[in-house]
Amino acid sequence: MSDSSVRAFYDALAPDYHRMFVDWDAGMARQAAVFDDLIGGRLGAGPHRILDCACGIGTQAIGLARVGHQVVGSDLSAVAVARAVAEAAARGAALPAVAADMRRLPFGPSGFDVVLCADNALPHLLTGQDVEAALREMRRVLREDGLLVLTVRDYDEARRTRPAATPPQVSQTAAGKVITFQLWQWHEDGEHYDLEHFQLVPAADGWDVRVRRTPYWALTRRQVTDLADAAGFTDLTWHASALSGYYQPVLTARPVGRARR
């Protein structure tokens, strides 16, 4: 992964990230309910101390804080982190957060009940070595009987069909409709691709077209499972979207040698 490339992508996207949602606050609440149920079913009733290690502007972190969990955020983008802290405060929630690379988390060992890495953040890491390094860091900061919660796109299907684009999403804002879509340029290896993220935002003379670019590794569920196993996780369970209620497949896992409650 080129840190500067991914950081620049999210620095640029941070002011507009909420525009991908028809209603960002409703989306926060909906996602928090899914993760709260998933966490509670494995760790029991909270509140729990949660690290969202790819918090972005706070979509999951703020929602989880608002339902009572003690949430700490980190993200590669300092611009996104600053917005997450401000948006949390505006909603009466506390969200301490820092800019940090998930491969080098600035937290002591065993400090969290849960580590969350959502919204397809892990596939920004482009090699097995980097993915495993990040997963080892997540394991290090988890308590002995903690829980990893990780979400990625359904790349098993994408690797088979190699889509060139995503369908446009349309959200209504006070200024008018915002249209978001992506173009994907696949590499010859069939596993990596370059993403162009387009947003068309209403402007006085028509549309303001905003384009951000970043690479991804289209990790299959088997690849993620194998890398998590190598990083020291066990009890690896995938939860399909139809059952979890989350829009991406969700992986839960526990540290090796630590029994499930």
Side-chain angles (χ1 to χ4, degrees):
M1 176 183 70
S2 168
D3 293 358
S4 60
S5 165
V6 177
R7 186 183 298 111
F9 177 82
Y10 285 106
D11 283 352
L13 185 58
D16 293 322
Y17 195 97
H18 67 287
R19 298 179 190 271
M20 291 187 282
F21 294 80
V22 174
D23 183 329
W24 186 43
D25 281 275
M28 283 193 276
R30 184 169 55 250
Q31 293 191 25
V34 169
F35 288 125
D36 185 49
D37 183 63
L38 201 61
I39 292 164
R42 282 149 188 81
L43 297 185
H48 296 292
R49 184 163 170 79
I50 300 173
L51 170 63
D52 183 345
C53 71
C55 69
I57 66 167
T59 304
Q60 294 81 35
I62 295 171
L64 287 165
R66 294 187 75 188
V67 298
H69 295 289
Q70 300 167 14
V71 186
V72 174
S74 68
D75 195 275
L76 190 63
S77 168
V79 178
V81 164
R83 184 170 179 202
V85 172
E87 296 285 0
R91 292 161 175 78
L95 180 62
V98 297
D101 188 320
M102 68 175 70
R103 295 167 297 181
R104 296 179 291 275
L105 294 171
F107 308 105
S110 307
F112 296 96
D113 306 319
V114 179
V115 173
L116 173 66
C117 182
D119 277 350
N120 205 49
L122 194 70
H124 278 297
L125 302 171
L126 303 180
T127 69
Q129 181 179 2
D130 278 339
V131 172
E132 188 176 332
L135 290 166
R136 286 189 182 278
E137 277 291 272
M138 295 176 204
R139 181 183 183 276
R140 179 183 65 80
V141 302
L142 271 173
R143 76 183 199 199
E144 290 187 354
D145 54 351
L147 181 72
L148 173 69
V149 181
L150 173 72
T151 87
V152 296
R153 286 181 181 270
D154 183 3
Y155 281 129
D156 292 70
E157 177 65 12
R159 290 263 289 267
R160 185 181 67 81
T161 60
R162 294 201 193 182
T166 62
Q169 299 171 259
V170 181
S171 58
Q172 184 69 48
T173 71
K177 292 180 179 178
V178 173
I179 303 169
T180 303
F181 63 93
Q182 301 172 10
L183 300 182
W184 293 13
Q185 181 65 47
W186 287 89
H187 295 194
E188 289 186 4
D189 65 7
E191 295 192 11
H192 296 81
Y193 65 99
D194 297 319
L195 177 146
E196 288 185 297
H197 185 278
F198 286 78
Q199 278 190 320
L200 281 63
V201 179
D205 58 349
W207 297 97
D208 179 13
V209 181
R210 302 174 186 179
V211 186
R212 295 97 174 185
R213 298 173 176 84
T214 190
Y216 276 100
W217 182 12
L219 286 160
T220 65
R221 287 190 286 277
R222 171 51 58 191
Q223 286 175 310
V224 176
T225 299
D226 288 347
L227 288 163
D229 177 73
F233 286 98
T234 189
D235 196 13
L236 296 139
T237 305
W238 284 98
H239 308 263
S241 298
L243 297 178
S244 73
Y246 195 68
Y247 76 103
Q248 292 177 344
V250 180
L251 175 70
T252 56
R254 309 298 290 270
V256 163
R258 299 167 185 179
R260 179 193 296 181
R261 281 187 174 182

